[in-house]
Each structure stands twice: as C-alpha cells, then as structure tokens.
Amino acid sequence: YKFGLVKKKLVLDASPQLFRLIGFYLAEGSCNGGRTVHFDFNSSEIETLVADCNNLLERFFGKRGSLRKNGNNGVRLTVNSAVAEDFFSQFGKGAPNKWMPDWVFFAEHDKILQVLKGEWQGDGCKVKQPRQKYFNMSTTSKVLAFQLQQLLAKVGIVATIEKEEQKNR
C-alpha cells in the first residue's frame, strides 16, 4: 500500500466458463474506468442468462451483482468491483471500442466456442425469411465484427459482415 494505490496480481482459472463470461461482456457489458461493471439484458432473460452471468461473476470475482430495471424491457446486472472493472476494461470501454486481446482470440477450440456462445446469447438471433434462414450477431465495433468472423471461421462456420448505417449515429 502506497499513497492509496495497491498493486495486485490477478490470477483467474482460464476455464471455458471464464471465456463465456468474456463473451457476455463483449455482447452486454460496459465499464467506464471506475469500480463498476454493468451487463444489460432483456428482462425475459433473468432466470437464464442473467443468472448464468451472475454465477460466473461470483465464481471468478467473488461478488454477485445487483439487479435493477433498465428501461421498459431491460435489466442491468451491476457488480461493484475494481478488480472486475480492471479485468473487463481490457476488452474495450464503450460498444464501438470492443475487441479481443490475443490471449482470447488465439485460445483453444473449446474456449473459443464459449466466447462465441456468450456473444451469441447476448447479441445473437435467428433470422427466418421465406427463402433464407441464418444466425445473426450484432455489434457496433468494427474490430470485434472482424474478430468474430475470424473466430467463426476457426470453428468451421462461414460468416459475412453486413454494415448498417443508422440515422443520428
């Protein structure tokens, strides 16, 4: 301890479950440089994705998040932990700035599948049109979009990227 600063080495079990939590952060997470990490989900996902994310937060960071209403159909899972915030900030702060560092991008096959699972559960959907059926993942980060395309290729899935310009953005 020196002048209010503490340096601590964070050691986490690099299990597939940690990689699923990373996928949740890439899809639903945010942090802003303080001591808080937020995960925003739909209110219909409280008993499934929110519970899974909260259990993973407790497993890896020793703290459960608190749940609050977020808009009409959303819930925000908030964990107050400087350690968790420091860990997740390496994946980018703000949706357009999300990305995967090399240690995640070049992980083993089972871990890559868990990153994709977390990302899919957070930002994915099935699209069914009369002559087309496909899976879709959405992100505002160009870097993350290309990284996800490459991860999907690593596991044998051909993916394309479509850019959509939204008004007032």
Side-chain angles (χ1 to χ4, degrees):
Y1 179 81
K2 190 172 188 178
F3 306 110
L5 299 176
V6 175
K7 286 194 175 188
K8 201 178 198 182
K9 186 175 181 179
L10 179 63
V11 179
L12 296 174
D13 175 26
S15 67
Q17 292 78 20
L18 176 64
F19 284 74
R20 186 168 70 251
L21 182 59
I22 291 166
F24 280 140
Y25 178 79
L26 292 172
E28 304 292 355
S30 63
C31 55
N32 59 10
R35 296 174 174 260
T36 307
V37 181
H38 304 285
F39 294 85
D40 296 315
F41 293 95
N42 188 284
S43 57
S44 67
E45 301 167 329
I46 290 175
E47 294 181 16
T48 54
L49 302 182
V50 175
D52 186 26
C53 186
N54 211 1
N55 290 336
L56 293 170
L57 287 168
E58 183 176 28
R59 175 179 173 183
F60 291 105
F61 298 101
K63 291 189 175 189
R64 291 190 68 78
S66 60
L67 206 56
R68 293 192 180 98
K69 189 168 175 54
N70 187 19
N72 291 335
N73 298 317
V75 292
R76 175 169 277 185
L77 179 64
T78 301
V79 64
N80 295 310
S81 167
V83 174
E85 196 280 336
D86 192 44
F87 175 76
F88 286 113
S89 66
Q90 71 181 303
F91 303 102
K93 296 177 184 178
N97 305 312
K98 298 257 180 95
W99 69 291
M100 284 178 267
D102 287 347
W103 67 269
V104 174
F105 188 76
F106 293 109
E108 294 89 1
H109 187 266
D110 60 331
K111 295 175 182 177
I112 288 172
L113 288 175
Q114 289 299 309
V115 171
L116 291 170
K117 180 179 181 179
E119 172 70 31
W120 164 257
Q121 288 178 320
D123 279 344
C125 67
K126 291 180 190 177
V127 177
K128 292 181 182 179
Q129 296 176 352
R131 302 187 93 191
Q132 291 181 316
K133 292 179 179 77
Y134 58 92
F135 297 113
N136 181 57
M137 285 190 275
S138 298
T139 181
T140 58
S141 168
K142 290 179 183 179
V143 172
L144 183 59
F146 284 107
Q147 286 181 320
L148 289 169
Q149 182 185 37
Q150 290 173 333
L151 283 186
L152 287 163
K154 280 183 173 186
V155 299
I157 298 171
V158 176
T160 60
I161 296 175
E162 180 180 320
K163 182 179 178 184
E164 184 178 313
E165 294 287 337
Q166 293 184 353
K167 293 179 184 178
N168 301 324
R169 281 205 162 174

